[in-house]
Amino acid sequence: MSFSIGIVGLPNVGKSTLFNALTRQQAAALNFPFTTIDPNVGVISVPDERLEKLAVLEKSAKVVPTAIEFVDIAGLIRGASEGAGLGNKFLSHIREVDAIVQVVRFFENKDIIHVDGSVNPLRDIEVVNLELMLADLATVNKRLNSLHSEVKSGDKQAIILKTALEKIKAVLEAGQLAKTVGLSDEEARLVKQLQLLTMKPMLYVANSPASLNLTIAQNKDISPDQIIQIDVKLEAELTELSDNERAEYMKELGIAESGLNRLARAAYQLLNLITFITAGPIETKAWTIVKGTKAPQAAGVIHTDFEKGFIKAEVIAWDKLLAAGGYGPAREKGWLRLEGKEYVVQDGDVCHFRFNI
């Protein structure tokens, strides 16, 4: 199961530097707009201390964390929705991702050009969001125009979609993101095919030193849990160090956890994802599912045959398995449960699936 996060923002706000730090790849990070024309893609692991502990318990030969894909998308500018800069191409790249991380520049540096001449985080957010909204408005209007004949013929789904799009259009014209619209499950299903940009979940990375106070939350569309403050330049420097050097430097700076780890975890949560685990001598491995997934579908993430022939799932919470000291003692204590087809897998469940081929 693959999920991708698009990194967006104005030119020269630190997008490619953040991407490089996340993936330890060397995407171009030069001091002029449009350095990134084709999106760079990198896959990073999501930190999970549970895996290491279970691997020690089970004497696993290897540990396989879950992963998430980050896509470095070139900078947007005013007029991108109308094709300014490389707008149309960039917007098409954003449509393809599952969620968006918008990098916002807070740092002052006279040697790094700001496309609008000055550092103003709230203005920059509004510029990017406006271009996304204008692009969505064009998509909505185009689809509404093409719906006339279907609606006139009495097509029920076309009528439902038209109602949903009219609600979205009103919100976009009022300067709000499409995701603020309340839609029924059926409306949401029909709208999803349009891949509206402002329907996507969004995080904001405030690129600034930790000592800088933020005012980003003054934007009405942003809640505090959507904001992650990261000193992108520092994070990039940390990735150049060895593990021991990095740990020592972070200790000197009083940093308990890297900003990159916080971002990876927040991105995972943003997509409403959870992890279940398989653990044994061969490997301890994390598997990604959407919250609310039932046992047969979770088994299908490992192999489609597991879902087709699903019988039962043997389940225990990871910390209970750790506390028991292994599967044998857990079984003796009655802590291993057999769950059926309606069981909703929980984050941190250690699962063993029984199935017929």
Side-chain angles (χ1 to χ4, degrees), residues 67-224:
I68 198 161
E69 182 180 274
F70 279 86
V71 182
D72 180 23
I73 297 170
L76 292 170
I77 61 170
R78 289 183 198 275
S81 60
E82 297 174 351
L86 296 172
N88 291 332
K89 190 171 184 178
F90 298 167
L91 291 168
S92 70
H93 290 150
I94 301 172
R95 290 194 195 285
E96 295 168 5
V97 300
D98 298 295
I100 296 171
V101 166
Q102 186 177 151
V103 182
V104 185
R105 177 174 171 175
F106 278 74
F107 68 89
E108 294 280 358
N109 187 330
K110 64 182 181 181
D111 295 324
I112 298 178
I113 301 163
H114 190 290
V115 71
D116 281 333
S118 63
V119 175
N120 185 327
L122 289 176
R123 177 203 60 207
D124 292 354
I125 290 171
E126 288 169 1
V127 168
V128 172
N129 285 352
L130 177 61
E131 293 306 322
L132 300 182
M133 286 186 283
L134 289 172
D136 279 351
L137 190 57
T139 300
V140 167
N141 282 331
K142 184 177 180 180
R143 187 66 183 102
L144 279 171
N145 288 336
S146 70
L147 275 175
H148 287 313
S149 59
E150 298 169 61
V151 171
K152 194 173 181 179
S153 69
D155 184 301
K156 290 182 179 179
Q157 290 202 328
I159 293 169
I160 293 171
L161 179 57
K162 179 176 181 290
T163 300
L165 292 180
E166 286 173 343
K167 288 192 283 188
I168 291 170
K169 180 178 179 179
V171 163
L172 291 171
E173 289 178 338
Q176 295 178 304
L177 307 179
K179 63 185 174 183
T180 61
V181 178
L183 298 176
S184 69
D185 290 344
E186 180 68 1
E187 287 175 332
R189 184 185 67 80
L190 293 171
V191 166
K192 187 175 181 180
Q193 62 188 313
L194 297 181
Q195 294 182 298
L196 296 178
L197 305 174
T198 63
M199 274 288 189
K200 297 181 185 293
M202 191 180 297
L203 279 175
Y204 296 84
V205 167
N207 184 4
S208 75
S211 58
L212 191 66
N213 291 323
L214 305 184
T215 57
I216 191 172
Q218 291 175 10
N219 184 293
K220 64 181 183 303
D221 293 320
I222 304 172
S223 60

Side-chain angles (χ1 to χ4, degrees), residues 316-355:
I316 184 171
W318 76 275
D319 52 348
K320 294 282 278 187
L321 180 59
L322 211 60
Y327 290 108
R331 200 168 277 112
E332 290 172 8
K333 293 175 181 291
W335 290 358
L336 278 167
R337 313 184 312 274
L338 279 179
E339 301 287 358
K341 293 183 177 181
E342 294 304 310
Y343 177 68
V344 176
V345 177
Q346 302 298 305
D347 186 54
D349 276 351
V350 181
C351 300
H352 177 76
F353 297 106
R354 300 180 183 180
F355 62 98

